[in-house]
Amino acid sequence: MRSLSTHDAIVIGAGPAGASAALTLARHGWSVAIVEKSAFPRRKVCGEYISASNLALLDRLEIGDAWRLDAGPEIRCVGFFSGETRVEAPMPDAKYGPPAKDGFGRALGRDVLDALLLQAARSAGAEIFQPCRAVVIDRDGDMQRVRIQSRDENSGDETTTLRAPVIVAAHGSWEPGPLPSQLEKTSRRWDLLGFKAHFTGSSLAPDLMPLLAFPGGYGGMVLADRGRLSISCCIRRDMLARLRRNCGSGHDGAERGCPVSAADAVFHHLMASCRGVSDALDGARLDGRWLAAGPIRPGIRACYEKDIFRVGNAAGESHPIIAEGISMALQSGWLLARELAGAPSGRAGREAAGRRYQAAWRGLFSTRVYAAAAIARMALGPGGPAFMAVAVRNFPQALTFGAHMSGKTRPVPGLT
Ligand SMILES: Cc1cc2nc3c(=O)[nH]c(=O)nc-3n(C[C@H](O)[C@H](O)[C@H](O)COP(=O)(O)OP(=O)(O)OC[C@H]3O[C@@H](n4cnc5c(N)ncnc54)[C@H](O)[C@@H]3O)c2cc1C
């Protein structure tokens, strides 16, 4: 066991939320430790689309130019694919920057984006503990201790203890764990499990991001960096079990009684239930393996509880049907860091910062969490995909309106 120096803040998790918070705090002169359990670069279940409303923030974080260089094409159309239905409508213009610049979102692989953000945090002075898992948080007077474990090939687990007055939980919401900020494990038939893959050589229109609606789930497709198509979806646990059983009982070439893998079952379901997907992926090649995660945990949680601040999915999560999770992660990390940087030290200062941060979080994100829940409920309900198909065929502007409601054009406060 090793004990290390004290920091001003310890950030647990280096996804977009943790990196954004750590980077901003480090730029304000704080000494920051980031603890991340995975080695980077790593791929992640995510559609990888980022709204243009984040560009001002990416510029403030000083990674805007690198993001512009790497990200895929501008997404100027929002679409809807379900069964034989294919509808397109204009994506609303976020109008950030000079005319005709940066008004539209783009997609960048999480292997690239997360490494870019973490490198920027490192350059700003954050100390990075990776791959290290945070396993315990406990009190030490006005300080808190975080025990972290790294795996050593020769000596097994190595444990280190970090100390700081400020703890930021940025560990996401999809994995249960022992930390007081982590959610309990669930296993319910209506849980939504996340899947994602990259393909190269697809024929999806480069400026189109279609929403996919299919029995038991929803998803999306978008062209990301280096010609990779990112396809991701959420599917109900009970539907997935049924698909695996059915595929394993002789359909699709699988051996009788031998369930196919979850990824194969999801892929076949997407191909069979959305003509737009099978057309776009006709002749395309899988790039890397399918990834799975979840169940996802949409909802609004406490932003500050038990003297732990939460950002990103740990604070609250919208159904990914609106593709706003990265925005909420980046922006909540920034909002919290801004409150903390101006707050007096000590518990009372943290509590006041926690209250202000929670009010700002809810003002900025609650509407999109509720809007996403309403759209997801429609997509997942009985006959939902067919109902949505009729609605958007008759009223394609609903897609543009939905993109507005989901926050795609809403500027980050304090940046414009
Ligand atoms: C199918 C699907 C598609 C999606 N598509 C989009 C999209 O197109 N656009 C969009 O904006 N959002 C999308 N999202 C949502 C988005 O992926 C998440 O909202 C976003 O990743 C949340 O960021 P975060 O930083 O809060 O958490 P995460 O990105 O989950 O990062 C958490 C980090 O913490 C680390 N960690 C966890 N536990 C510990 C621990 N104990 N110790 C140390 N490290 C730890 C993890 O390794 C991870 O790196 C999608 C989600 C799904 C399921």
Side-chain angles (χ1 to χ4, degrees):
M1 157 115 58
R2 290 189 297 144
S3 192
L4 282 188
S5 54
T6 299
H7 294 81
D8 294 325
I10 300 167
V11 178
I12 301 169
S20 157
L23 176 48
T24 309
L25 287 172
R27 292 251 170 80
H28 276 94
W30 285 42
S31 85
V32 181
I34 307 181
V35 184
E36 168 55 53
K37 71 179 172 58
S38 307
F40 282 8
R42 57 101 177 81
R43 293 168 65 234
K44 195 167 170 64
V45 171
C46 184
E48 308 182 322
Y49 170 82
I50 303 185
S51 304
S53 56
N54 293 289
L55 260 293
L57 177 53
L58 294 177
D59 282 340
R60 182 64 67 91
L61 297 177
E62 296 177 23
I63 66 155
D65 289 341
W67 184 86
R68 286 182 186 89
L69 203 63
D70 287 337
E74 284 191 340
I75 303 303
R76 290 171 173 264
C77 297
V78 55
F80 178 85
F81 290 178
S82 184
E84 297 294 315
T85 299
R86 272 187 264 202
V87 179
E88 291 179 26
M91 181 68 91
D93 185 343
K95 295 195 173 57
Y96 166 69
K101 188 186 166 224
D102 287 339
F104 297 96
R106 296 159 65 182
L108 177 62
R110 292 291 298 271
D111 43 354
V112 184
L113 174 72
D114 291 18
L116 192 64
L117 280 161
L118 190 57
Q119 180 51 39
R122 181 183 279 115
S123 303
E127 191 176 354
I128 296 165
F129 297 84
Q130 182 184 35
C132 282
R133 181 187 292 273
V135 288
V136 175
I137 303 176
D138 59 15
R139 284 221 78 82
D140 180 12
D142 191 47
M143 292 278 181
Q144 301 192 67
R145 281 185 300 239
V146 178
R147 200 178 314 150
I148 64 175
Q149 278 178 353
S150 60
R151 184 108 202 114
D152 185 285
E153 299 250 312
N154 303 317
S155 54
D157 285 344
E158 179 158 312
T159 303
T160 302
T161 301
L162 306 177
R163 289 168 84 242
V166 170
I167 307 294
V168 179
H171 43 56
S173 57
W174 303 336
E175 283 173 60
L179 304 179
S181 48
Q182 285 179 308
L183 302 172
E184 283 170 17
K185 193 176 165 61
T186 69
S187 184
R188 295 172 302 211
R189 67 192 163 77
W190 61 84
D191 283 338
L192 287 175
L193 305 172
F195 288 86
K196 119 77 162 282
H198 285 128
F199 284 85
T200 54
S202 85
S203 60
L204 183 72
D207 62 350
L208 173 66
M209 180 166 67
L211 161 66
L212 315 175
F214 51 87
Y218 60 77
M221 289 197 293
V222 68
L223 209 59
D225 51 299
R226 293 173 284 147
R228 293 189 293 180
L229 173 126
S230 178
I231 180 166
S232 60
C233 68
C234 290
I235 186 161
R236 277 177 62 127
R237 192 189 287 279
D238 52 1
M239 173 57 87
L240 180 60
R242 194 171 336 141
L243 291 170
R244 295 184 71 185
R245 273 197 310 274
N246 290 348
C247 287
S249 59
H251 298 293
D252 298 329
E255 295 217 2
R256 195 166 188 83
C258 170
V260 298
S261 73
D264 279 345
V266 167
F267 180 55
H268 285 114
H269 190 48
L270 283 167
M271 295 287 272
S273 54
C274 291
R275 168 64 77 86
V277 174
S278 56
D279 283 354
L281 296 186
D282 186 25
R285 287 168 309 282
L286 183 65
D287 182 15
R289 60 188 182 84
W290 276 86
L291 304 176
I296 64 162
R297 308 294 291 272
I300 296 177
R301 298 175 258 280
C303 288
Y304 174 68
E305 195 176 54
K306 300 178 191 150
D307 209 10
I308 299 173
F309 295 93
R310 295 184 191 159
V311 290
N313 273 19
E317 180 174 359
S318 60
H319 272 271
I321 198 159
I322 61 165
E324 277 295 300
I326 302 173
S327 307
M328 291 168 58
L330 287 168
Q331 295 176 24
S332 61
W334 150 263
L335 287 178
L336 172 64
R338 209 176 54 151
E339 292 300 345
L340 284 173
S345 59
R347 180 95 185 222
R350 292 197 294 277
E351 283 174 358
R355 279 192 298 276
R356 284 195 303 273
Y357 163 58
Q358 174 149 310
W361 195 104
R362 297 205 169 167
L364 194 53
F365 303 130
S366 297
T367 307
R368 69 191 90 174
V369 174
Y370 296 132
I375 303 170
R377 204 171 309 120
M378 211 185 304
L380 294 165
F387 170 76
M388 289 173 87
V390 173
V392 298
R393 270 201 309 265
N394 287 300
F395 187 51
Q397 303 89 317
L399 294 171
T400 310
F401 178 71
H404 259 304
M405 287 303 291
S406 70
K408 299 217 160 5
T409 51
R410 186 155 179 188
V412 184
L415 285 176
T416 44

